[in-house]
Amino acid sequence: MTTLFTSYRLGGLALPNRVVMAPMTRVRAAAGGLATPSMAAYYAQRATAGLIVSEGVQPSAIGQSNPGTPGLHTDEQVAAWRPVTAAVHTNGGRIFAQLMHGGRVSHPDTIGVLPVGPSAIPAVGDVFTPTGPQAAPTPRALDTLEVPEHAQAYGRAARRAVEAGFDGVELHGANGYLISQFLSSNANRRTDRYGGPVAGRIRFAVEAAAATVEAVGGARTGIRLSPGGTFWGIKETDVLELYTALLTELARLQVAYVHLEATTDEETLLALRRAWPGTLIVNPVLPMGPKQTGRDDADHWLALGADLISFGRAFIANPDLVERLRGGLPIAPVDEATYYQGGDAGYLTYSAHQYGR
């Protein structure tokens, strides 16, 4: 019988369990997008996860969304990540870097230039900047000839990730960021080959995945998707058709996994499970919604055909989450005020379960 604690083979990796630490922005990077010793300690504390997916890492300078986030587009950033991946591996873990191009979800005060997107349509809501939240600006629409350069950025960053010691990369194709913007039917109003019908709207995602596979191989490449999600004002029409078409192309590329968020109804997610022949990671509850993923949610989706289950917020306050789930131990609550405040408080200050108390 398959459980959360059954081993699993993912590409060239032997995972000791099916618990995945989901990517979560923590804005603890140093100036220049450099990883820090505290980040090494944070991820190493959670190395009992079958797989860790890092916080979103910008693949290019213009791809940065939030201040205080790390990158993988300079030699200095590669060097700064090496102690992080080494610490995870020393503790017996496995870690993928999530490559996240913010697209229109950024600000000139953060990146020094106007953000780019598929169309000149701003995101809905305030974006983080060095001086606090500000209204999302209208992005500069990418010219047709520019688009492939941004797809190739994922491949270049993936190559740097492997140089930095990561076991692979996950493309952030979810939650209203650049790949998601191209998939969208309201953020993407293009009339060239990257817009319009489903075949056009999936093209950028496919090109980004293809560039990554070419750079580091399919076994080191995953992608996270949020079918029907509405983050940052995104809307999608023909959700099942759109994502079935995308999964068909990703299957041809033989990527290691697809990571689906529960952003649509279960019937649609099950249809996508049937359409995807490879490894499926499911994040069973709405990211940043009112409920955290628990053992029951995980068991439910394992029974429905998911191969791996990702847990987000529960990993923040529970570095030993795998052991707590295995033993039916209490899940410690997280202090939301420390999500993005910087520093080690609410980052390295959560401890393992104290037995016998």
Side-chain angles (χ1 to χ4, degrees), residues 165-336:
F166 284 97
D167 298 295
V169 298
E170 175 182 281
L171 306 189
H172 197 348
N175 298 2
Y177 298 107
L178 186 62
I179 292 174
S180 174
Q181 291 159 30
F182 272 93
L183 294 172
S184 167
S185 50
N186 69 336
N188 182 353
R189 300 287 180 82
R190 303 178 70 94
T191 57
D192 63 2
R193 65 179 183 270
Y194 292 100
V198 163
R201 283 187 283 134
I202 69 171
R203 190 180 306 278
F204 180 77
V206 174
E207 289 185 0
T212 306
V213 170
E214 182 178 0
V216 298
R220 295 180 185 263
T221 303
I223 187 169
R224 183 165 161 103
L225 302 169
S226 52
T230 57
F231 301 96
W232 297 107
I234 287 290
K235 292 183 181 178
E236 295 171 343
T237 56
D238 307 317
V239 172
L240 184 55
E241 179 189 358
L242 177 72
Y243 283 92
T244 299
L246 177 56
L247 294 183
T248 299
E249 295 302 316
L250 294 173
R252 292 193 180 105
L253 294 171
Q254 296 183 306
V255 302
Y257 69 77
V258 166
H259 187 176
L260 291 182
E261 298 178 5
T263 45
T264 188
D265 60 273
E266 189 169 287
E267 181 180 354
T268 300
L269 291 174
L270 286 172
L272 296 176
R273 163 72 284 189
R274 292 190 293 270
W276 173 243
T279 296
L280 180 69
I281 304 175
V282 171
N283 195 168
V285 303
L286 182 69
M288 300 306 294
K291 184 178 185 295
Q292 290 188 29
T293 299
R295 177 69 188 273
D296 290 345
D297 305 299
D299 290 342
H300 176 70
W301 267 100
L302 286 174
L304 291 178
D307 299 298
L308 305 167
I309 304 296
S310 65
F311 293 76
R313 286 165 286 176
F315 258 115
I316 293 178
N318 300 271
D320 59 338
L321 180 63
V322 174
E323 290 72 24
R324 291 183 189 238
L325 291 168
R326 193 191 308 272
L329 301 171
I331 305 299
V334 65
D335 178 8
E336 295 185 13

Side-chain angles (χ1 to χ4, degrees), residues 6-18 47-51 92-96 167 219 308:
T6 305
S7 61
Y8 187 80
R9 192 79 187 177
L10 178 67
L13 297 176
L15 311 187
N17 58 66
R18 298 177 182 235
T48 53
L51 176 67
R94 297 135 300 275
I95 184 168
F96 272 37
D167 298 295
L308 305 167

